Amino acid sequence: MFLQLEDYMLPCLNKQFFGMDCLGCGIQRALSLVFHGEFIAAFKMYPAIYTLLALAFVVAINFFYKVKYAQKIISILAIVNIAIIVISYVIKMNQII
């Protein structure tokens, strides 16, 4: 009767075509878990979820209100996000092999 967020999740084309996860696999499910209040499960699903949410928050705030050091904060958060995403992906791929 009620529509769930899971009903609108997109499939990973990389996983469908090549049979392996991409760097973004799990982000939709992690976001769904955050919305359902399952914060630890969301972190386990996609470790960069909270830093990505922080980055999105800073970008949104800076869009409406110009923050003095916004570019520096956004750059640092982007670098941290990239590092977390790549490191967690490498760890996940090593566990599969």
Side-chain angles (χ1 to χ4, degrees), residues 8-77:
Y8 295 100
M9 288 188 183
L10 300 172
C12 178
L13 295 178
N14 191 56
K15 195 168 192 171
Q16 284 184 336
F17 291 137
F18 303 116
M20 58 187 295
D21 290 347
C22 68
L23 294 172
C25 278
I27 192 168
Q28 293 180 92
R29 290 173 287 168
L31 192 59
S32 175
L33 288 169
V34 168
F35 288 149
H36 286 106
E38 299 179 31
F39 303 113
I40 295 172
F43 179 78
K44 289 179 181 178
M45 178 66 61
Y46 195 74
I49 188 68
Y50 296 115
T51 53
L52 283 172
L53 289 174
L55 178 62
F57 178 74
V58 170
V59 169
I61 291 296
N62 190 49
F63 183 75
F64 295 108
Y65 308 103
K66 297 302 175 196
V67 180
K68 187 175 183 179
Y69 296 108
Q71 294 299 49
K72 185 178 261 190
I73 294 168
I74 291 170
S75 297
I76 290 170
L77 281 173

